[in-house]
Amino acid sequence: MTLGIILALVAGSFVALQVIFNSKMGEHTGSWLTTTIVLGLGAVAALTVSLLLEGTSGYHMENMKTWYWISGAIGVGVVFSLMQAIKALGPTFATSIVLTSQLSFALLWDSLGLFGLEKIEFTFNKFLGVLVIIGGILVFKYGERQSQARKSAEHK
């Protein structure tokens, strides 16, 4: 479990870095070219590491369901949508909304047992947990406005 938590923390830091880098690259190349570069370089890196660490032993895809292949296209939507959200909202606010959405949909899909997932019980505590996170985002975003309004009123 500890390793899982550490890897999740590393993944979160990588996501935060990636959205910043993608956003900066998008300022120079445009959103669609940035998406192409990011996913293309990611594919090359993943293929290289896979071959170096696992060899070809993992390349048995004959029993894989066809609809799993759309994952790459979903990745295009993730990168493009996140870059646009960052342009509109800034990195911190956009990322917090994305992560809350990710958690909410994961809870929904787990609770319904969709996409071949083992069905888990949907409980009030899980729902409340998502609401607390949403409340935290609202406090983060709109608490900042009240603080700025107070500072502005003090300077007048």
Side-chain angles (χ1 to χ4, degrees), residues 2 4 20 25 37 39 47 65 72 77 85 87 91 108 110 113-114 119 122 128 133-134 137-138 143-144 146 153:
T2 302
I20 292 168
M25 184 187 299
I37 292 169
L39 293 175
L47 180 62
K65 294 181 180 175
K87 284 181 188 176
L108 174 69
D110 273 346
L114 296 177
K119 191 173 183 175
F122 181 85
L128 186 60
I133 292 169
I134 292 169
I137 292 169
L138 294 173
E144 182 179 288
Q146 289 178 345

Side-chain angles (χ1 to χ4, degrees), residues 51-115:
L51 289 171
L52 287 173
L53 297 180
E54 299 172 347
T56 58
S57 64
Y59 291 81
H60 302 287
M61 297 179 265
E62 59 273 356
N63 295 322
M64 188 169 66
K65 294 181 180 175
T66 307
W67 58 275
Y68 291 168
W69 288 90
I70 67 167
S71 177
I74 292 170
V76 171
V78 169
V79 172
F80 180 81
S81 297
L82 191 47
M83 282 192 315
Q84 299 308 308
I86 287 171
K87 284 181 188 176
L89 304 172
T92 306
F93 191 41
T95 301
S96 62
I97 292 171
V98 167
L99 294 177
T100 303
S101 173
Q102 181 179 355
L103 176 63
S104 299
F105 279 100
L107 176 59
L108 174 69
W109 295 328
D110 273 346
S111 298
L112 296 174
L114 296 177
F115 309 114

